[in-house]
Amino acid sequence: MASRRSRIRRAVASAAAATAAVLLAACGSSSDSSSSPSSSGHSAHDMGVMSSAGPSGTASAMQGSHNAQDVSFAQGMIPHHRQAVAMADLTASRAKSQSVKDLAAKIKQAQDPEINTMSGWLKAWGEKVPDGSMPGMESMPGMGHSASSMPGMMSADDMDKLKGLSGDPFDKAFLQMMISHHRGAIEMAKTEQAKGAYGPAETMAKSIVTSQSAEITEMNKMLGKQ
């Protein structure tokens, strides 16, 4: 009888030990698994934060920076473009050559959107957008007090002279004036390329140099020059 009780006690003890071992293993496994995902989760999040603050974020900040030259470029080129558009508008009723009319349409198509873009920059920077309403400048759309000193800008007398012409004389005067106007814009654009800091403005300046240089070549050919 005593031997039987001893065997029973040993069996119960063994079963209890086995159960305890299973429970301890389960707890340990649960603890390990919960800490691991947490660790990897933080790692992934940290990597995501580092990524968002990496090169792309820096590039965006760099693109958004501007300096005084960028402001000067936009404030000067807006009235410069407005005058070119005003000159182009005269061709519809005064030009004889279809080539002159087509060129004027191309100039207007290119410069109108650039005026809007540059106006948007100035507004975003908290700078004044030229409004063209300065006293005594009514015959020269887009001109302000300093516009007459801009390279290539036509005077009020120049504009009045152009308005008084039609046919071949208008075509010749328009081309001669627009060549001078374009050369002035190219000079302004090259200054922006050399001294500006705002990426989109420098890109626009490069485009102005390229497109208006090509148009000068085209206009010289139309005037019979090689």
Side-chain angles (χ1 to χ4, degrees), residues 125-182:
W125 298 337
E127 302 286 350
K128 180 176 174 57
V129 178
D131 58 15
S133 61
M134 297 297 180
M137 297 294 180
E138 292 82 0
S139 63
M140 297 190 68
M143 286 194 67
H145 285 308
S146 62
S148 59
S149 63
M150 290 180 202
M153 287 292 282
M154 300 297 108
S155 67
D157 288 342
D158 291 331
M159 291 297 288
D160 287 341
K161 176 184 176 182
L162 191 61
K163 289 177 181 178
L165 299 174
S166 62
D168 288 331
F170 173 88
D171 292 347
K172 182 177 180 180
F174 173 84
L175 292 171
Q176 290 173 335
M177 290 183 184
M178 192 60 79
I179 287 171
S180 177
H181 205 270
H182 273 21

Side-chain angles (χ1 to χ4, degrees), residues 29-45:
S29 174
S30 174
S31 175
D32 291 344
S33 63
S34 63
S35 64
S36 178
S38 174
S39 175
S40 63
H42 282 300
S43 177
H45 173 73

Side-chain angles (χ1 to χ4, degrees), residues 77 181-191 208-209 212-213 216:
M77 196 61 78
H181 205 270
H182 273 21
R183 284 174 177 159
I186 290 170
E187 181 181 335
M188 294 165 67
K190 285 183 176 179
T191 299
I208 288 171
V209 171
Q212 296 200 20
S213 293
I216 287 174

